[in-house]
Amino acid sequence: MIGKSWIRGGALAISLSLLAACETAPLTGRNQLILLPESQSQAMGVDAYQEIKSKTPISNDPRYTGPVNEIGQRIAAISTQPGLNWEFTVFEDETPNAFALPGGKVGVNTGLFKVAKTDDQLAAVMAHEVGHVMARHGSERMSTQMATQLGVQLGGAVVGQEYAGLLGQVATLGVVLPYSRIQESEADEIGLIMMAKAGYDPRAAVTLWQNFAAEGGSRQPEFLSTHPHPETRIKDIEAALPGVMPYYESSPYR
Ligand SMILES: [Zn+2]
């Protein structure tokens, strides 16, 4: 049996730790819940990356690895975490997709080149992925999951087993969904600034997402499945462009 005082004490402890864990995303200033130490989430990212690399065929085609590394490293070098051991790997997979993990570990599928047809368009994807790492979206996602599980435990004690089961399903869904829409929009926003600073034309981001939408057809690429609707995304990017163009025009990399 769990007494009421324990529940109240537990809720107090959690709210205190949530308060202590509030952080701010770079460039956007959005408040974030981060419960994991950065070193821990980075170690988890590195482990997951190793596992993906051991199970997925890696491309050594310089037509892909050349631009992915060059563009990725250039953007990473001017990010808020230039000291991370950034790594950019091309996977042999025809799905137009890319991903980023804590610790600066980025993956790009060969299928991405069906939609990223120029260096500027590829830079839009690379900068978006670097943006996820800069804003610590992996840590945030895991923290939300932890908070949800704590909530499930407390909820289970309060309202009984059935309701806890329902909450548990919601929590599981949270793990499966890669990043939230808020995080995706934020990675777009940060990515647009970063690509412009690195000397890549941010207007190419619009073309990239148009290509993605055209490629998707009835069966949407995985990369888009949890992402904002392509039309919303393109509109948001177009609205942000006037504020971002000065970074591009003054970039020393151009
Ligand atoms: Zn993303």
Side-chain angles (χ1 to χ4, degrees):
M1 283 293 286
I2 299 163
K4 254 189 182 167
S5 61
W6 183 90
I7 293 165
R8 217 177 284 128
L12 181 68
I14 290 161
S15 58
L16 281 178
S17 66
L18 298 192
L19 209 66
C22 227
E23 304 208 4
T24 315
L27 306 183
T28 66
R30 179 176 64 88
N31 285 327
Q32 294 177 292
L33 170 72
I34 308 269
L35 298 171
L36 283 130
E38 183 60 11
S39 58
Q40 195 185 335
S41 58
Q42 283 182 15
M44 289 165 83
V46 171
D47 280 355
Y49 198 61
Q50 285 306 329
E51 196 177 328
I52 295 166
K53 285 206 296 186
S54 70
K55 287 179 179 168
T56 318
I58 293 169
S59 170
N60 291 311
D61 188 333
R63 289 175 302 163
Y64 301 140
T65 57
V68 162
N69 274 298
E70 192 190 317
I71 296 168
Q73 293 293 355
R74 195 204 285 187
I75 295 167
I78 57 166
S79 76
T80 46
Q81 285 129 295
L84 284 179
N85 186 15
W86 289 91
E87 212 179 323
F88 300 89
T89 305
V90 180
F91 293 101
E92 281 182 12
D93 185 326
E94 281 311 293
T95 320
N97 203 1
F99 69 90
L101 296 168
K105 305 301 182 189
V106 177
V108 173
N109 287 353
T110 46
L112 184 76
F113 288 85
K114 288 187 280 189
V115 292
K117 294 170 183 171
T118 65
D119 276 5
D120 288 323
Q121 289 171 29
L122 180 60
V125 177
M126 305 308 294
H128 172 94
E129 299 305 334
V130 170
H132 277 307
V133 176
M134 283 172 63
R136 298 174 64 190
H137 285 163
S139 305
E140 189 182 22
R141 182 179 51 179
M142 286 186 272
S143 301
T144 308
Q145 189 57 27
M146 284 165 64
T148 311
Q149 278 166 358
L150 287 171
V152 170
Q153 280 169 21
L154 284 177
V158 176
V159 299
Q161 220 52 43
E162 250 175 71
Y163 189 55
L166 193 71
L167 285 173
Q169 284 173 10
V170 176
T172 308
L173 195 65
V175 179
V176 181
L177 293 173
Y179 288 118
S180 72
R181 274 159 201 261
I182 288 171
Q183 291 178 323
E184 291 305 339
S185 297
E186 186 168 71
D188 277 351
E189 196 180 336
I190 295 172
L192 213 54
I193 296 170
M194 295 313 294
M195 74 181 288
K197 283 186 172 178
Y200 299 104
D201 190 340
R203 289 168 292 195
V206 173
T207 322
L208 172 85
W209 291 112
Q210 284 167 345
N211 294 348
F212 252 116
E215 174 73 20
S218 56
R219 197 177 133 264
Q220 280 216 325
E222 192 186 349
F223 187 51
L224 285 179
S225 60
T226 59
H227 285 57
H229 194 274
E231 281 170 25
T232 313
R233 175 167 231 159
I234 288 167
K235 268 184 199 151
D236 287 348
I237 290 170
E238 281 173 341
L241 276 176
V244 168
M245 285 306 285
Y247 293 116
Y248 174 58
E249 278 148 12
S250 63
S251 171
Y253 293 94
R254 279 181 73 197

